[in-house]
Amino acid sequence: MSSKKVREQFAKLAVIAVSGGLVATLALPAYAFNQDSGQGNVAALAPKEVITQTFASAPAVELAVSRDGYSATKPAPVVASVAVNRFVTLNPPAQTYSGAAVVAYGMQFVGIVPYGMGNSPTTSFSCDGFTQYVFKGFGISLPRTADAQARYGVRISPADAVPGDLLWWPGQHIGIYAGGGMLLDSPRWGRYVELHPIWGNPVYLRLAATP
């Protein structure tokens, strides 16, 4: 082969080598780009880390709310009201029932609670309201009106009467026998509960049954 042809062959091989190098060089950035892009896609597809936030809850505090000139707040505790006796400070009755205890309990109203149509020391006492209230303090329930109360008594002689028995004027009046010829009652308008001598001819009664 002539030297000219040899030189031509070497020239062709050189061109092919250079071209291959250029292709490889150009392919590297693209390959690198594709690699980076692939890693980005993997990162994008990787599960996200979930962060859980916790909060410490303090006890709820009730606040007053105001709107349109009105306010709402927690109502104050209900306090049971106690009736105040405007006439006398009551002493509890004796625990053991006896005629003397009945008289002693009724005596605290003498000169203090006025006559009226009531059956409570906070208002007034009628004659039957007074006896009803006093005996109720010992667990004995009596109806209103003198005649209705008398139906729960047994007639006795004046000589047998003891403190705590009832004295009854039919259709008129009723009171409590206090002993020694004395009567404890709420007599009439303009007066108060009194302890005074027995008047007229009452019927002496001893309670035998209650409603």
Side-chain angles (χ1 to χ4, degrees):
M1 182 180 293
S2 63
S3 58
K4 182 178 179 180
K5 289 183 177 181
V6 171
R7 287 195 297 271
E8 289 177 355
Q9 290 293 332
F10 276 112
K12 289 180 180 180
L13 290 174
V15 171
I16 291 171
V18 172
S19 298
L22 289 174
V23 171
T25 303
L26 293 173
L28 284 173
Y31 176 78
F33 175 80
N34 289 336
Q35 287 291 96
D36 293 341
S37 178
Q39 292 177 356
N41 290 337
V42 172
L45 295 176
K48 302 294 184 180
E49 182 181 359
V50 178
I51 299 175
T52 304
Q53 292 180 323
T54 59
F55 299 91
S57 60
V61 178
E62 186 168 351
L63 300 177
V65 179
S66 178
R67 180 185 177 193
D68 300 332
Y70 297 92
S71 62
T73 57
K74 183 177 180 180
V78 177
V79 178
S81 61
V82 178
V84 177
N85 187 341
R86 64 191 177 94
F87 293 115
V88 63
T89 300
L90 297 178
N91 297 316
Q95 296 300 311
T96 302
Y97 173 79
S98 70
V102 170
V103 174
Y105 183 53
M107 284 292 295
Q108 65 185 314
F109 307 114
V110 171
I112 297 174
V113 182
Y115 180 89
M117 299 306 295
N119 63 341
S120 169
T122 61
T123 55
S124 63
F125 281 134
S126 63
C127 65
D128 55 295
F130 174 65
T131 52
Q132 182 188 56
Y133 184 88
V134 170
F135 280 98
K136 184 179 179 180
F138 296 87
I140 299 173
S141 298
L142 293 175
R144 291 298 296 267
T145 80
D147 292 351
Q149 290 180 2
R151 288 197 291 269
Y152 293 92
V154 175
R155 187 164 183 165
I156 58 175
S157 69
D160 293 332
V162 296
D165 289 333
L166 291 176
L167 298 181
W168 171 50
W169 288 258
Q172 300 180 54
H173 189 64
I174 197 166
I176 300 172
Y177 180 58
M182 301 295 287
L183 170 67
L184 178 63
D185 67 348
S186 186
R188 63 173 182 264
W189 290 104
R191 292 165 67 174
Y192 293 79
V193 175
E194 294 181 9
L195 178 68
H196 56 86
I198 296 170
W199 52 274
N201 295 299
V203 177
Y204 287 73
L205 300 170
R206 182 162 297 159
L207 287 177
T210 57

